[in-house]
Amino acid sequence: MASPILVLILGLTLAVGPRAMADPTLSHPPLTDQPGDPVRGLAVVRDASRASCLICHSIATLPDRDQGGLGPPLDGVAARLDAGQMRQRIVDARRVSPDTIMPPYHATAGLFAVGAKWVGQTLYSAQDVEDVVAFLMTLKD
Ligand code: HEC
């Protein structure tokens, strides 16, 4: 008979297995043919009606007060990630970091208790995502 410890280890491995497949280098292709507009992207980033990035992140070059500290500062993020990796985090950061608190801005699957009015809708449109990526790519240092 298999030892209970082995069964436990196997069970835990199966339970966490798919999560171990999360990939920080995961890249998402562009969502539109239209190149992103960084100026519009900054306005989207600040949009308090759609889970502003600044609730959780800080960007030292912005004058905005009460910037967040729950996520890493986004200063210099363009030196750490390329546009595809940046896009993947905005579209659905759970693919990169399964337990993340960062909202999936362009995904409709795997959400809980979504209000009837918002079922099937994303927080950001495809062009919003491209504009935000274009803005983030300006944060080189
Ligand atoms: C509710 C909090 C929250 C919000 C809102 C949020 N994020 Fe995040 N974000 C995080 C956390 C926490 C991480 C760290 C990764 C993790 O969770 O494992 C992160 C990681 C990131 C990263 C990777 C940074 C790095 O250095 O690797 C980027 C880029 C990013 N977020 C951009 C954004 C953008 C752009 C927005 C708005 C569209 C946003 N985030 C909104 C919490 C948030």
Side-chain angles (χ1 to χ4, degrees), residues 38-53:
V39 174
R40 204 183 158 270
L42 171 56
V44 176
V45 159
R46 281 177 159 150
D47 183 352
S49 72
R50 291 187 293 170
S52 163
C53 313

Side-chain angles (χ1 to χ4, degrees), residues 24 41 44-46 50-57 59 69-78 80-81 85-87 89-90 93 96-103 105 123-124 132-133 135-136:
V44 176
V45 159
R46 281 177 159 150
R50 291 187 293 170
S52 163
C53 313
L54 300 175
I55 299 170
C56 292
H57 294 281
I59 301 174
L70 290 171
L74 294 180
D75 308 290
V77 73
R80 300 194 288 277
L81 301 173
Q85 294 167 339
M86 210 83 87
R87 191 179 291 104
R89 282 160 175 77
I90 299 160
V96 178
S97 181
D99 292 325
T100 190
I101 56 166
M102 178 159 159
Y105 285 87
L123 265 170
Y124 284 1
V132 169
V133 170
F135 166 68
L136 293 174

